[in-house]
Amino acid sequence: MRLIEELNQKYNSVSIIGLAKNAGKTVTLNYLIEEAYDSTIKLGLTSTGRDGERLDLVTETEKPTIFVGVNTIIATAKSILEMGDAGLEILETTEFTSPLGNIVLCRVKAEGNVQLAGPSNASDTLLVKEKMIDYGADLVLIDGAIDRKAVASPRITDACIIATGAVLSRDIKKVVSQTAYYASIFLLPGVEDLELLNIKFQLNRTCIIDDEYRLNYPEMKTSLGHGRALASMTDERTRYIYLSGAVTTSMLKDLTFGKLNYTILIDDGTQVFSDYYNYKNLKKKGLRLEVLNPILVEAITVNPIAPFGYSFPSDELVRMIEEAVGPIKVVDVLGGGV
Amino acid sequence: MSLGKVDLTKIKPYGDTLNDGKMQLSFTLPVPKGDEADEAAKQLARKMGLSEASVVHSHDLGVGYTFFIMYGNCSHTVDYSVIEVPKVDLEFMDKKGVEQYIEENIKRDVVIIGACTGSDAHTVGIDAIMNMKGFDGHYGLERYKGIEAINLGSQVANEELVAKAIALNADAVLVSQVVTQKDVHIPNLTQLVEMMEAEGIRDKIILVAGGPRLSHELAQELGYDAGFGPGSFANHVATFVVKQMVERKLI
Ligand code: B12
């Protein structure tokens, strides 16, 4: 079955997340748009960055254009509406602002190219997504900007596609290990402890949870930079530390020492800001990280070509990534093979 | 001077007659001064699309390198009529104007935190915007009545900046990035945005980036509310921040 049909059967919204700039998010988006083209699936499209402009602002290389079919719904900024040549019917000018002007929702009347620049923050993106569904979109695709991941949160989209590519490193092994690392963060296991799941909806700010599921709230506006203070509040009865915000390497280090009798609990993988090496070391020391809301990674797309003029054999890169990530579909969006 | 009618769809440099394409450029080549060096410079200029390229000055830099000044005629043209550069589209108020605007519309102190982040140690840019004495005759934010400006300095980690913004209930965060080699500024800037998202404060804060290679357009793509490049002054940023606060009802 085509990827787009699978996605459409299971989900209302899917985010496309790049592991780096030029990892091929827009190519992935176009791949899905093309798959949908001769189907009856009505797509809703937006971007948390900017898509469809001809030149990349940083590398000055050419970027793919976005060609959309009739009945697609798009959410984009007012000031760039005229920059495409698709025929658009404006459905609504929303109150959501973007630096390029208010976000407008349009229905494509005559196929053609469009530029996409939606709201740049996740909470507005969520509301825009809901509006597109209200206007009849079967499946909303949200392209994340550059390497930004926030819209992959299950709070915002039902599932995600990770776009990776040669651009990550000139060393194919590093491309694979980095991709596998980020995928593993997105795929962090959901907590299975039923008693904890019972109190899931009480968890809205950082706290320490003991073996009788009592919550102890530290007095801090944010846990960022207060890893040590949090660690000092734990004792042998501590079972979980729930973190409601960003989880950095230094936070994980502060909380990973001695005989670890607790699991670190977060909402989802988009909260983690660590790197491959530190994370690997901490895992060795016994770090346990679980999530309340697992992210569904539906596929990993691979762009075997880097914009700076090197590339890897597509088959090999796809195979190595498949081996490293397990049962997730890996697709070379340039070759088109599944 | 002879002034003809300018065709804005095909502009090229002006020397002393319209469209003569005359331009001057200077650069250094890592070779010793001599005829071969001059010839290398000329060949380079030709490859750059300059005809009648001539070396009008060259001198030895002492380490086997040569500095050149060249003239040549540019063969390329640019269509000026279709250029559109997104800018922070605002009537900038001066310091007094901003202070008055705060007093009338916000009615409390505006908290603005600034830092040069990541591995970047170039403080002059952010100091120009924030420090009391300012830059080029424009006072910095620290001097503004109604603005509490906190400059965290250089090489500030994103997590430290976010923690500080939360601790101080910041209204705006200003980030400076000067080193852009290998595009290190890009992931550093996006990481800050994502950290703010994870902390749930992104939509409550005006987030601004600045630096010599940052345009408004790029900053927006990275998830910032605005970007300020060379030639920016404190009153530009201040105008943007206070107007956004009112527009986005963040008072
Ligand atoms: C001074 C200087 C230094 C000083 C910095 C001292 C200090 N405390 O800042 C020192 C000697 C430490 C230094 C070190 C290095 N430097 Co240096 N440095 C410069 C230099 C000469 C001037 C920069 C400057 O101060 N400009 C003046 C300010 C006022 O301009 P500005 O930063 O553009 O700021 C304005 C706007 O951009 C804007 N703005 C800037 N930030 C912000 C933020 C906000 C929120 C807003 C609204 C606006 C705004 O407003 C400002 C006022 O209009 C430049 C070359 C040049 N002539 O530009 C190189 C330069 C920036 N350095 C460079 C490099 C490579 C380095 C080093 C890596 C060198 C090395 N190999 O070690 C190190 C890096 C150190 C580090 N970790 O960051 C390169 C950067 C190349 C690149 N694009 O990445 C440059 C361009 C030199 C070059 N041509 O190669 N450097």
Side-chain angles (χ1 to χ4, degrees):
Chain A
M1 198 190 327
R2 289 181 177 193
L3 184 54
I4 194 76
E5 280 158 10
E6 257 173 71
L7 297 177
N8 188 48
Q9 273 179 14
K10 294 195 260 183
Y11 311 115
N12 290 322
S13 57
V14 173
S15 54
I16 302 169
I17 301 302
L19 295 189
K21 193 168 165 47
N22 296 311
K25 279 186 290 60
T26 314
V27 182
T28 302
L29 181 68
N30 278 336
Y31 176 91
L32 293 170
I33 293 174
E34 215 178 295
E35 279 196 341
Y37 184 79
D38 48 10
S39 77
T40 55
I41 302 169
K42 274 191 246 118
L43 291 180
L45 305 174
T46 191
S47 166
T48 61
R50 192 156 170 203
D51 275 318
E53 79 271 40
R54 271 166 318 177
L55 268 193
D56 185 295
L57 291 176
V58 181
T59 57
E60 296 187 352
T61 47
E62 271 197 40
K63 283 182 73 168
T65 53
I66 294 178
F67 187 88
V68 291
V70 174
N71 283 333
T72 306
I73 312 262
I74 64 167
T76 192
K78 200 163 201 167
S79 72
I80 61 167
L81 271 186
E82 302 134 35
M83 294 191 189
D85 56 14
L88 300 172
E89 170 200 1
I90 296 187
L91 300 167
E92 180 183 339
T93 301
T94 70
E95 74 270 28
F96 307 114
T97 54
S98 94
L100 291 167
N102 277 46
I103 304 301
V104 288
L105 296 174
C106 306
R107 178 174 287 124
V108 177
K109 285 289 175 190
E111 61 181 31
N113 293 302
V114 292
Q115 287 204 11
L116 297 176
S120 66
N121 72 59
S123 39
D124 287 355
T125 304
L126 174 62
L127 298 170
V128 163
K129 174 198 89 171
E130 282 164 1
K131 276 184 185 285
M132 285 199 275
I133 292 173
D134 289 346
Y135 279 111
D138 300 318
L139 177 66
V140 174
L141 300 177
I142 301 174
D143 191 355
I146 321 268
D147 60 351
R148 291 173 49 204
K149 308 179 176 68
V151 289
S153 168
R155 193 169 57 86
I156 314 291
T157 47
D158 301 339
C160 92
I161 292 178
I162 296 176
T164 186
V167 69
L168 262 65
S169 170
R170 284 177 183 269
D171 177 352
I172 189 167
K173 284 199 210 106
K174 282 198 182 137
V175 175
V176 175
S177 58
Q178 297 278 347
T179 302
Y181 162 66
Y182 284 113
S184 75
I185 294 294
F186 271 42
L187 291 164
L188 279 170
V191 59
E192 286 177 356
D193 178 344
L194 290 177
E195 285 191 68
L196 188 107
L197 287 169
N198 271 336
I199 56 163
K200 174 174 164 177
F201 293 101
Q202 288 174 38
L203 298 175
N204 52 22
R205 89 193 149 84
T206 295
C207 61
I208 296 190
I209 303 169
D210 71 10
D211 50 4
E212 289 177 36
Y213 299 91
R214 283 178 306 213
L215 311 183
N216 180 9
Y217 294 99
E219 288 214 19
M220 46 183 73
K221 274 182 165 172
T222 167
S223 49
L224 266 187
H226 298 288
R228 296 249 171 90
L230 269 180
S232 71
M233 290 174 64
T234 64
D235 57 32
E236 65 280 2
R237 301 194 58 179
T238 304
R239 286 296 166 270
Y240 297 95
I241 298 182
Y242 167 71
L243 298 172
S244 67
V247 181
T248 60
T249 298
S250 62
M251 169 67 71
L252 290 176
K253 278 186 180 162
D254 286 343
L255 298 180
T256 307
F257 62 92
K259 193 168 89 34
L260 273 174
N261 56 332
Y262 52 79
T263 297
I264 297 171
L265 198 59
I266 57 178
D267 291 304
D268 63 65
T270 66
Q271 281 164 263
V272 179
F273 297 87
S274 189
D275 57 276
Y276 175 57
Y277 293 100
N278 279 302
Y279 186 74
K280 206 170 73 178
N281 282 336
L282 289 164
K283 285 279 280 190
K284 270 194 203 138
K285 287 191 185 154
L287 165 72
R288 285 192 308 279
L289 199 52
E290 292 179 3
V291 298
L292 294 175
N293 309 308
I295 298 175
L296 301 173
V297 179
E298 196 57 35
I300 296 179
T301 63
V302 179
N303 176 1
I305 302 170
F308 313 114
Y310 65 92
S311 64
F312 301 122
S314 163
D315 301 355
E316 192 181 341
L317 186 59
V318 167
R319 182 183 48 76
M320 286 170 76
I321 291 176
E322 269 170 354
E323 278 166 18
V325 297
I328 296 175
K329 185 176 240 176
V330 181
V331 188
D332 171 0
V333 276
L334 290 181
V338 176
Chain B
M1 250 214 217
S2 85
L3 292 175
K5 179 142 176 53
V6 180
D7 177 359
L8 290 178
T9 64
K10 287 194 197 95
I11 57 161
K12 65 196 305 201
Y14 169 90
D16 66 357
T17 52
L18 186 65
N19 296 331
D20 58 14
K22 281 266 183 291
M23 58 196 291
Q24 171 184 328
L25 64 160
S26 61
F27 54 88
T28 300
L29 287 178
V31 292
K33 180 173 156 61
D35 292 345
E36 289 77 14
D38 282 8
E39 180 54 28
K42 275 190 235 165
Q43 289 194 12
L44 193 62
R46 244 173 264 137
K47 286 191 175 168
M48 291 165 69
L50 300 181
S51 64
E52 291 173 47
S54 61
V55 173
V56 293
H57 172 80
S58 63
H59 80 248
D60 187 355
L61 288 179
V63 287
Y65 287 21
T66 311
F67 176 75
F68 301 90
I69 296 178
M70 299 193 63
Y71 291 169
N73 305 342
C74 177
S75 51
H76 302 298
T77 64
V78 163
D79 185 351
Y80 179 81
S81 66
V82 296
I83 291 178
E84 260 181 76
V85 181
K87 289 182 219 93
V88 179
D89 191 12
L90 274 180
E91 290 252 346
F92 293 120
M93 299 181 279
D94 61 7
K95 175 169 171 288
K96 266 220 180 75
V98 171
E99 290 170 339
Q100 202 177 335
Y101 188 90
I102 294 174
E103 200 177 304
E104 285 166 9
N105 298 286
I106 301 180
K107 303 186 175 79
R108 63 167 174 86
D109 275 6
V110 174
V111 179
I112 302 182
I113 300 188
C116 184
T117 60
S119 59
D120 204 330
H122 292 84
T123 49
V124 183
I126 191 73
D127 288 350
I129 303 294
M130 301 203 71
N131 284 11
M132 195 69 90
K133 70 175 190 309
F135 176 64
D136 205 11
H138 295 73
Y139 289 135
L141 299 177
E142 286 176 359
R143 206 173 189 116
Y144 281 56
K145 216 169 12 116
I147 291 183
E148 191 188 328
I150 300 119
N151 186 347
L152 300 180
S154 73
Q155 298 194 322
V156 177
N158 283 329
E159 58 184 298
E160 192 184 332
L161 179 56
V162 175
K164 200 79 181 179
I166 295 171
L168 298 175
N169 287 328
D171 296 297
V173 168
L174 311 185
V175 186
S176 181
Q177 293 280 263
V178 177
V179 176
T180 55
Q181 286 165 326
K182 296 190 183 150
D183 292 330
V184 286
H185 60 308
I186 305 282
N188 187 45
L189 285 168
T190 53
Q191 189 195 56
L192 178 68
V193 176
E194 297 303 278
M195 243 179 223
M196 287 183 148
E197 286 278 7
E199 286 290 315
I201 57 167
R202 176 62 193 94
D203 48 353
K204 301 179 186 90
I205 282 185
I206 319 283
L207 184 56
V208 173
R213 267 187 67 203
L214 263 162
S215 63
H216 186 45
E217 198 178 8
L218 174 61
Q220 290 171 339
E221 181 167 348
L222 297 173
Y224 286 66
D225 294 313
F228 288 86
S232 311
F233 298 117
N235 66 304
H236 300 158
V237 197
T239 304
F240 180 78
V241 169
V242 296
K243 289 247 163 120
Q244 278 280 302
M245 282 177 68
V246 170
E247 198 175 303
R248 281 167 52 186
K249 305 187 181 72
L250 295 172
I251 300 174

